[in-house]
Amino acid sequence: MFSGSIVALVTPFNDNGDVDYQQLEQLVEFHIQQGTDGIVAVGTTGESTTLSHDEHIKVVKQVVSFVNGRIPVIGGNGSNSTSEAVELTKRLNDSGVDAMLGVTPYYNKPPQRGLIEHYKAVANATDIPQILYNVPGRTQCDLLPETVAELSKVKNIIGIKEATGNLSRLSEIKALCDNNFLLFSGDDDTGLEFMLQGGHGVISVTNNVAPKLMSDLCRHALAGEREPAEQINSKLKSLHSHLFVEANPIPVKWCVAQIGAISNGQLRLPLVELSSEYHELLNSAMREAQVL
């Protein structure tokens, strides 16, 4: 069920800063029509840290409703508080999601044994499949391959989004886990090579801006077709890197507005509008990808 190009979806707001559900529906439809293989609703790119719990659950449920079974939906359930992550997980149990994605507890810097207990507690709160998410550049907490292997033994922990950008992690995790454990890149810049070396797909920021290209890239990469995949990736290289000139999702939300998929790049504090010094850089990247 889970493979290919999965978008880490932005959450659209109106000018007042409220979630705009009409735009959210349009955004979901845009991705389905462009060939996106799955949606992560209210992950970190979806600004989970500034949505209230009620908003968080409502956005996920609305995405499930808008998708209507056409592609898988993965709901974000991460927190740096285990009790809060468990609460979100329980509230998502009746949401209709196909899986949940839980980022490592940020800021706390728990030891590996703390990560094991955290993820076990979350997994025990549901029967829905769970996907681990390791992004130490944002969380200051690294989920090591040996810890991933231990957690892969939990019956409903089915995979990991690995966002270190370190391809050696892929081979380490593959060597320690069963073949059916799912491996997703969380780093667009190395996502192509990740798939060519045995990964199952990319949970992508770039997909927000260039969903058709990312879908085609993943399809070729997963088929082992390096040359056409590299040709597509060459058009996306600038987006892969420039979408992080400021903290995600500031640049990507600005770009999604520029291509007309949402009406504005509104964010919630402490995130602020993209600095004007980066506008032309990102416009150039979008022109290279032929989405602008």
Side-chain angles (χ1 to χ4, degrees), residues 20-243:
D20 191 321
Y21 291 99
Q22 182 177 351
Q23 285 194 76
L24 182 63
E25 182 175 15
Q26 294 169 357
L27 198 55
V28 166
E29 199 60 37
F30 168 67
H31 278 284
I32 290 174
Q33 295 304 316
Q34 292 288 307
T36 295
D37 295 306
I39 293 175
V40 171
V42 200
T44 48
T45 302
E47 295 176 76
S48 57
T49 52
T50 56
L51 266 62
S52 70
H53 284 191
D54 287 345
E55 288 175 319
H56 185 129
I57 301 303
K58 184 176 180 180
V59 170
V60 172
K61 287 184 174 181
Q62 287 294 104
V63 170
V64 170
S65 175
F66 297 148
V67 168
N68 194 26
R70 290 175 288 176
I71 57 176
V73 177
I74 301 167
N77 67 333
S79 174
N80 67 332
S81 163
T82 302
S83 62
E84 187 174 84
V86 166
E87 179 187 349
L88 284 171
T89 300
K90 289 179 176 177
R91 293 187 65 181
L92 287 171
N93 272 333
D94 65 351
S95 65
V97 294
D98 299 289
M100 301 182 201
L101 177 70
V103 69
T104 54
Y106 39 88
Y107 191 79
N108 297 348
K109 296 187 177 181
Q112 297 299 301
R113 64 184 185 275
L115 292 175
I116 290 171
E117 295 306 317
H118 170 84
Y119 279 114
K120 282 183 175 179
V122 172
N124 286 336
T126 185
D127 292 324
I128 295 173
Q130 301 294 298
I131 300 172
L132 312 171
Y133 177 18
N134 188 38
V135 57
R138 288 292 290 255
T139 63
Q140 298 301 303
C141 173
D142 193 0
L143 190 62
L144 298 179
E146 295 79 11
T147 306
V148 175
E150 180 66 24
L151 289 168
S152 72
K153 299 172 185 175
V154 178
K155 65 176 183 177
N156 60 331
I157 294 181
I158 64 165
I160 184 170
K161 175 184 176 182
E162 229 302 320
T164 60
N166 180 358
L167 289 170
S168 66
R169 283 292 179 93
L170 174 62
S171 58
E172 291 178 65
I173 295 171
K174 279 172 64 71
L176 293 168
C177 297
D178 290 342
N179 291 335
N180 59 359
F181 191 71
L182 298 175
L183 303 164
F184 299 104
S185 172
D187 177 63
D188 282 304
D189 205 34
T190 56
L192 168 58
E193 200 61 37
F194 188 98
M195 288 182 286
L196 289 171
Q197 292 184 22
H200 298 95
V202 183
I203 297 177
S204 168
V205 174
T206 299
N207 183 305
N208 281 282
V209 186
K212 179 64 166 62
L213 284 175
M214 281 301 299
S215 175
D216 291 344
L217 167 65
C218 291
R219 176 168 46 83
H220 287 300
L222 291 174
E225 299 166 353
R226 178 180 286 274
E227 185 175 348
E230 286 182 339
Q231 289 175 355
I232 296 169
N233 201 49
S234 67
K235 298 178 182 179
L236 295 170
K237 290 290 286 184
S238 293
L239 273 179
H240 291 336
S241 58
H242 296 337
L243 285 175

